[in-house]
Amino acid sequence: MPSDETKFLLRENQIPTAWFNVVPSMPAPPSPPLHPGTRQPIGPDDLAPLFPMALIAQEVTTDEWVDIPGPVLDAYRLYRPTPLYRARRLERHLGTPARIYYKYEGVSPAGSHKPNTAVPQAYENARAGVKRLTTETGAGQWGSALALACSLFDLDCVVYMVGASYDQKPYRRSMMETWGATVHRSPSDTTEAGRTHVEHQSGSLGIAISEAVEVAAGDSETNYALGSVLNHVCMHQTVIGQEAMRQMEMAGEEPDIVIGCVGGGSNFAGLSFPFVRRRLRGESEARFLAAEPAACPTLTRGVYRYDFGDTSGTTPLLPMYTLGHDFVPPPVHAGGLRYHGDSPLLCGLVRAGLIDAVAYRQNETFEAAVRFARTEGILPAPEPAHAIRAVIAEAESARESGEERVILFGLCGHGHFDMSAYDAYLSGTLEDIEFSEAEMEAALERLPEAPALA
Amino acid sequence: MPSDETKFLLRENQIPTAWFNVVPSMPAPPSPPLHPGTRQPIGPDDLAPLFPMALIAQEVTTDEWVDIPGPVLDAYRLYRPTPLYRARRLERHLGTPARIYYKYEGVSPAGSHKPNTAVPQAYENARAGVKRLTTETGAGQWGSALALACSLFDLDCVVYMVGASYDQKPYRRSMMETWGATVHRSPSDTTEAGRTHVEHQSGSLGIAISEAVEVAAGDSETNYALGSVLNHVCMHQTVIGQEAMRQMEMAGEEPDIVIGCVGGGSNFAGLSFPFVRRRLRGESEARFLAAEPAACPTLTRGVYRYDFGDTSGTTPLLPMYTLGHDFVPPPVHAGGLRYHGDSPLLCGLVRAGLIDAVAYRQNETFEAAVRFARTEGILPAPEPAHAIRAVIAEAESARESGEERVILFGLCGHGHFDMSAYDAYLSGTLEDIEFSEAEMEAALERLPEAPALA
């Protein structure tokens, strides 16, 4: 019997006290990351120049639950638990018998789910005596989250921001600086990598990663932080799904389908993995649907292979769906979804047939975002607008079949720093960029030699 | 005994079901608004061309409680109840024995407290058969809130946005358009008032008001909506203080002082009036402190007189502290605080000695905002940053005297659309604009003839 409430709020003492690790639940253990030189499985020592041992331990653990440290919980209290809403106005607008729920992470000070992992990463680095974290940021969501987290644990934060974004999104930069971070326009003259690519003035995520990693690798008091893809990052995000599960119980509901957008995969992992556990234990029949941009259709069009995590090919090889590590997606406004690969854990579950994927073009995505804003009020970020597009399709199919489907989706951030994209959509100048099969074929030919995956 | 929690959340069924009207509690009844022509008290009929009868009735009611209609409560559920936080990290940073709490209204889709009144105004207009609402907006907070509310009740919304803001804040405009509003750069060629002032290309709130009122007065299906100052607007905002009172009880606390920023006064009224009631009934000893910009110091430097509500002198005369109706404050970044007068109810309580006021300059205000952002995470809007500045002063005085003071303040909005002001502060280019005594003396000489106030 569904509740007649619209908003489901937990008390502070209901913030999860452990992160959920999906690895022990997986039908097959994930293939290990490989050293880019030796092609042998990497060990903790290979990661030690960049990450503190506590995070490396989280990256490789096979424990199902990992306790959340007290100071991390203290910082989570600044914005967690986040609300779960029933989208009653959207349901009415669609005339659907489906009941639609969304977990809203935009209430974090940085405006997205990213602080869920930025906070524990900053904490573990501070505890290990590190003084400074470096990272890269494209659209600015991740850089903002890390700047916030570093301000809470008294760490210096240095962000290499992709040149084009730095110029187009000055307010994201101001936000990071307000939290005390130093923001460099990448390519910068502060690193060898930046100086070598000085001719690529608009920059790229690949160059920005190289700059951030170079600084961290060259200074023992400086580490590097990554905002998605890795196992420990996905694990940190599972506070989302654990809270959502409790809130869906308050709502008197069990989801028939869980929907989220996918860039590197951490948002989708965070919401869905706790529900995937239930499904794998035979306690639920829920389906899972990952929504991605048609301009960067990793899960729907990529190949399942070992590939580098970065564009320049210096990171470990990861087992994942990939469009080729040197595939440079067009500048779609959903900057957080422009990644050539995806989290190996998420890819493994897609490969195992547990998670489906669908890709949408920009204009249909923004059309969904505007419908959502005009019914539910909240202005979604372009990334979760892909999930909203998928939700509307599900709700419309429920209307056609007359089914009382229960839909849960992740609204992982607001769009307050993406209004220029809304402006482009409303004025009819947003382009539906086509994914180029030819370009990808070329990129796939440059995939690194590595063992085949099952 | 204070709670050990940090965040106090109410359930949806704890949203207040009535608005609180402070009028019956006031030591003296407020002096009536006067007709600008006759100087006689205005009646409901004088307001009927602009407002629906239900809102006029709320404007003049002497009932202490006014029931909130069901459809308004339904819309409030999109973001209410809002959270109350204890600022533990700010307390630690200040080393103060004071305990600091803040009520955060930035979780509304428009990012401020303004939807609390935009929603009932849109609802009552829709119920009265009105098809379209017009309004003016400066910084864009109010225009955004009304655009959101109109989208929820299927009304057309036309916003006259001050020219300079229209150019400087394109994203606020996109936000309003995403919710379906039409936004005109003021002065526009759509009205006589706009065409007459075409030479003032940067516009002013006064011109924008004249444009919006002209359109509403000239069309029977169009009404006008105001975002502050009026009695019914202040009353709608009391959901803030009522929730805060319940949340302070959850926290096991009674405030010693309630602090808020003041522009037209509705934010301050909304938080403080329910606590003022308790004080007037002898149930509390709380003090009240209104924080305003030194560049527009209405309560601290103005005179208590009848004056026009608008710059052009066409509205009813209101009893209030005023800097003169044609005083044009310098373009401080706290756009929402640039008003020459204040709510008559608030001014009456200041006059009666129940509410104190203090004024701060821009740089000390932003210094406080940045300290808040780096400890509590949330980026405050420039308006509530004035309140934060006052809170820090109170907390520091508590530290010096060793007192366990309990401070409650209103964080009425986030600063996501004000990052250029942060940028100016961080780069050292923000000016501490001085209030000009000479300019004000001249403005006061132009005050309209009207009966003296007690």
Side-chain angles (χ1 to χ4, degrees):
Chain A
M1 184 66 181
S3 158
D4 59 4
E5 291 192 283
T6 297
K7 202 176 172 189
F8 302 90
L9 298 171
L10 299 171
R11 298 256 334 216
E12 189 169 282
N13 59 15
Q14 293 175 303
I15 296 174
T17 56
W19 291 300
F20 167 65
N21 177 18
V22 78
V23 169
S25 306
M26 290 176 78
S31 301
L34 304 181
H35 191 283
T38 66
R39 301 292 199 266
Q40 293 303 306
I42 57 165
D45 289 351
D46 294 311
L47 298 171
L50 295 183
F51 302 106
M53 225 17 107
L55 291 179
I56 296 171
Q58 290 177 12
E59 181 65 21
V60 299
T61 185
T62 53
D63 293 347
E64 188 167 35
W65 299 97
V66 173
D67 280 348
I68 303 177
V72 172
L73 281 174
D74 274 350
Y76 278 171
R77 283 190 188 102
L78 292 175
Y79 64 96
R80 305 211 70 83
T82 62
L84 180 100
Y85 290 89
R86 176 155 170 204
R88 290 184 187 275
R89 285 171 185 265
L90 180 63
E91 290 171 16
R92 273 203 296 276
H93 163 78
L94 295 171
T96 179
R99 296 190 294 278
I100 304 172
Y101 295 85
Y102 56 99
K103 177 72 169 164
Y104 184 41
E105 293 291 305
V107 295
S108 85
S112 78
H113 64 295
K114 293 288 185 190
N116 297 333
T117 184
V119 164
Q121 290 194 50
Y123 166 72
E124 290 297 355
N125 275 287
R127 205 164 62 97
V130 169
K131 301 293 179 215
R132 190 165 70 144
L133 287 181
T134 64
T135 199
E136 72 288 339
T137 201
Q141 288 279 20
W142 167 242
S144 307
L146 194 68
L148 165 68
C150 285
S151 85
L152 299 177
F153 293 101
D154 287 324
L155 288 169
D156 289 341
C157 182
V158 179
V159 181
Y160 288 88
M161 189 171 186
V162 175
S165 296
Y166 185 96
D167 299 338
Q168 287 160 18
K169 300 205 161 191
Y171 299 152
R172 271 282 173 201
R173 173 179 57 69
S174 307
M175 191 179 199
M176 293 184 259
E177 288 172 350
T178 299
W179 282 317
T182 303
V183 184
H184 293 295
R185 190 188 186 288
S186 172
S188 79
D189 60 3
T190 66
T191 66
E192 189 58 36
R195 288 185 294 270
T196 338
H197 290 92
V198 71
E199 78 285 3
H200 293 113
Q201 261 308 299
S202 61
S204 76
L205 215 46
I207 298 170
I209 293 176
S210 302
E211 293 205 81
V213 167
E214 179 184 324
V215 172
D219 177 357
S220 64
E221 293 197 323
T222 302
N223 267 350
Y224 170 73
L226 193 66
S228 192
V229 179
L230 299 182
N231 297 359
H232 69 279
V233 177
C234 293
M235 189 176 75
H236 294 156
Q237 294 293 354
T238 61
V239 290
I240 303 172
Q242 293 182 65
E243 285 181 8
M245 196 175 280
R246 200 150 181 175
Q247 289 164 309
M248 288 298 279
E249 282 161 20
M250 286 169 72
E253 300 272 30
E254 175 71 30
D256 294 310
I257 183 164
V258 178
I259 299 177
C261 64
V262 171
S266 73
N267 160 63
F268 189 87
L271 176 65
S272 69
F273 282 4
F275 289 95
V276 166
R277 174 177 185 268
R278 191 180 275 188
R279 159 88 178 268
L280 288 167
R281 293 159 65 101
E283 296 164 11
S284 138
E285 296 291 312
R287 292 183 293 130
F288 300 92
L289 182 62
E292 59 182 13
C296 187
T298 316
L299 295 174
T300 49
R301 307 279 292 272
V303 292
Y304 191 57
R305 291 275 294 272
Y306 266 114
D307 199 0
F308 296 112
D310 67 333
T311 310
S312 50
T314 55
T315 71
L317 292 161
L318 301 174
M320 59 185 178
Y321 285 90
T322 178
L323 298 173
H325 62 278
D326 55 1
F327 171 73
V328 178
V332 289
H333 283 291
L337 306 185
R338 292 178 67 226
Y339 187 63
H340 69 275
D342 272 326
S343 145
L345 296 180
L346 174 60
C347 292
L349 291 166
V350 170
R351 184 69 171 179
L354 270 156
I355 295 171
D356 293 323
V358 61
Y360 292 111
R361 295 186 308 278
Q362 286 206 98
N363 277 294
E364 60 188 344
T365 299
F366 274 90
E367 192 269 343
V370 169
R371 283 163 84 167
F372 187 84
R374 291 186 184 174
T375 49
E376 294 294 311
I378 298 169
L379 289 165
E383 292 84 356
H386 291 76
I388 294 170
R389 180 65 192 77
V391 165
I392 291 176
E394 278 291 323
E396 286 175 341
S397 105
R399 183 181 64 207
E400 277 148 38
S401 62
E403 262 181 282
E404 280 198 18
R405 213 170 285 176
V406 177
I407 302 171
L408 168 65
F409 79 96
L411 185 57
C412 58
H414 61 62
H416 300 170
F417 293 86
D418 304 283
M419 294 315 297
S420 61
Y422 276 91
D423 203 30
Y425 168 69
L426 291 168
S427 60
T429 60
L430 198 66
E431 286 177 73
D432 274 335
I433 298 149
E434 288 298 318
F435 167 69
S436 154
E437 194 79 41
E439 194 185 2
M440 200 195 100
E441 270 172 30
L444 290 183
E445 277 175 19
R446 293 191 293 272
L447 280 183
E449 294 280 328
L453 292 169
Chain B
M1 184 67 179
S3 158
D4 59 4
E5 291 191 283
T6 297
K7 200 177 173 190
F8 303 90
L9 297 172
L10 300 171
R11 297 254 334 213
E12 190 170 280
N13 58 15
Q14 293 174 303
I15 297 174
T17 56
W19 292 301
F20 167 65
N21 177 17
V22 78
V23 168
S25 306
M26 291 176 77
S31 302
L34 304 181
H35 191 282
T38 65
R39 301 296 199 262
Q40 295 301 307
I42 57 164
D45 289 350
D46 294 311
L47 299 170
L50 296 183
F51 303 106
M53 228 12 109
L55 292 179
I56 295 172
Q58 290 176 12
E59 182 65 20
V60 300
T61 185
T62 53
D63 293 347
E64 188 167 35
W65 299 97
V66 173
D67 280 349
I68 304 178
V72 172
L73 282 174
D74 274 350
Y76 278 172
R77 284 192 187 102
L78 291 175
Y79 63 96
R80 304 210 71 81
T82 62
L84 179 102
Y85 290 89
R86 177 158 170 201
R88 290 184 187 275
R89 285 171 186 264
L90 179 63
E91 290 170 18
R92 274 203 296 275
H93 163 77
L94 296 170
T96 179
R99 296 191 294 279
I100 303 171
Y101 295 84
Y102 58 99
K103 177 72 169 163
Y104 184 41
E105 293 290 306
V107 296
S108 85
S112 78
H113 65 295
K114 292 289 185 189
N116 297 334
T117 185
V119 164
Q121 290 194 50
Y123 167 71
E124 290 296 355
N125 275 288
R127 204 163 63 97
V130 168
K131 300 295 177 213
R132 190 165 69 145
L133 287 181
T134 63
T135 199
E136 71 287 340
T137 200
Q141 289 278 19
W142 167 242
S144 307
L146 194 67
L148 166 68
C150 286
S151 84
L152 299 178
F153 292 101
D154 287 324
L155 288 170
D156 289 342
C157 182
V158 180
V159 181
Y160 288 88
M161 188 169 185
V162 174
S165 296
Y166 184 96
D167 299 338
Q168 287 159 18
K169 300 204 163 192
Y171 299 153
R172 272 280 173 202
R173 175 180 54 72
S174 308
M175 192 179 199
M176 293 184 260
E177 289 172 348
T178 299
W179 282 317
T182 303
V183 184
H184 293 295
R185 189 186 186 287
S186 172
S188 78
D189 60 4
T190 67
T191 66
E192 188 56 35
R195 287 186 294 268
T196 335
H197 290 91
V198 70
E199 78 285 3
H200 293 112
Q201 261 307 300
S202 62
S204 77
L205 215 45
I207 299 170
I209 292 177
S210 303
E211 293 205 81
V213 168
E214 179 184 326
V215 171
D219 177 356
S220 63
E221 294 198 322
T222 302
N223 268 349
Y224 170 72
L226 194 66
S228 193
V229 180
L230 298 182
N231 297 1
H232 69 279
V233 178
C234 292
M235 189 177 75
H236 294 156
Q237 294 294 353
T238 60
V239 291
I240 303 173
Q242 293 182 64
E243 284 181 9
M245 198 175 280
R246 199 150 184 176
Q247 289 164 309
M248 288 299 280
E249 281 162 21
M250 286 169 71
E253 300 273 31
E254 176 72 30
D256 295 309
I257 183 164
V258 178
I259 299 176
C261 64
V262 171
S266 74
N267 161 63
F268 190 85
L271 177 64
S272 69
F273 283 3
F275 289 96
V276 166
R277 175 177 185 266
R278 190 179 277 187
R279 160 87 177 270
L280 288 168
R281 293 158 65 100
E283 296 164 10
S284 139
E285 297 291 313
R287 292 182 295 129
F288 300 92
L289 183 61
E292 59 183 13
C296 186
T298 316
L299 295 174
T300 49
R301 308 279 291 274
V303 293
Y304 191 57
R305 290 275 294 274
Y306 267 112
D307 199 0
F308 296 111
D310 67 332
T311 310
S312 50
T314 55
T315 71
L317 293 160
L318 301 174
M320 58 185 180
Y321 285 90
T322 177
L323 300 172
H325 62 277
D326 54 0
F327 171 74
V328 177
V332 289
H333 282 291
L337 306 184
R338 292 179 65 226
Y339 186 63
H340 68 274
D342 270 326
S343 147
L345 297 180
L346 174 60
C347 291
L349 292 166
V350 171
R351 184 68 171 181
L354 271 156
I355 295 172
D356 294 323
V358 61
Y360 292 111
R361 294 187 308 278
Q362 286 205 100
N363 277 294
E364 60 188 345
T365 299
F366 274 90
E367 192 269 343
V370 169
R371 282 163 85 168
F372 187 84
R374 291 185 185 176
T375 50
E376 293 294 311
I378 297 170
L379 289 165
E383 291 84 357
H386 290 76
I388 295 170
R389 180 65 192 77
V391 166
I392 291 176
E394 278 291 322
E396 285 175 342
S397 107
R399 183 181 64 208
E400 276 147 38
S401 62
E403 262 180 281
E404 280 199 15
R405 212 169 288 176
V406 177
I407 302 170
L408 168 65
F409 80 96
L411 185 58
C412 58
H414 61 63
H416 300 170
F417 293 86
D418 305 283
M419 295 315 297
S420 62
Y422 276 91
D423 202 31
Y425 168 71
L426 291 169
S427 60
T429 60
L430 199 66
E431 285 178 73
D432 275 334
I433 298 150
E434 287 298 319
F435 168 69
S436 154
E437 195 77 42
E439 193 185 2
M440 199 195 99
E441 271 171 30
L444 291 184
E445 277 175 20
R446 291 190 295 272
L447 280 183
E449 294 282 330
L453 291 169

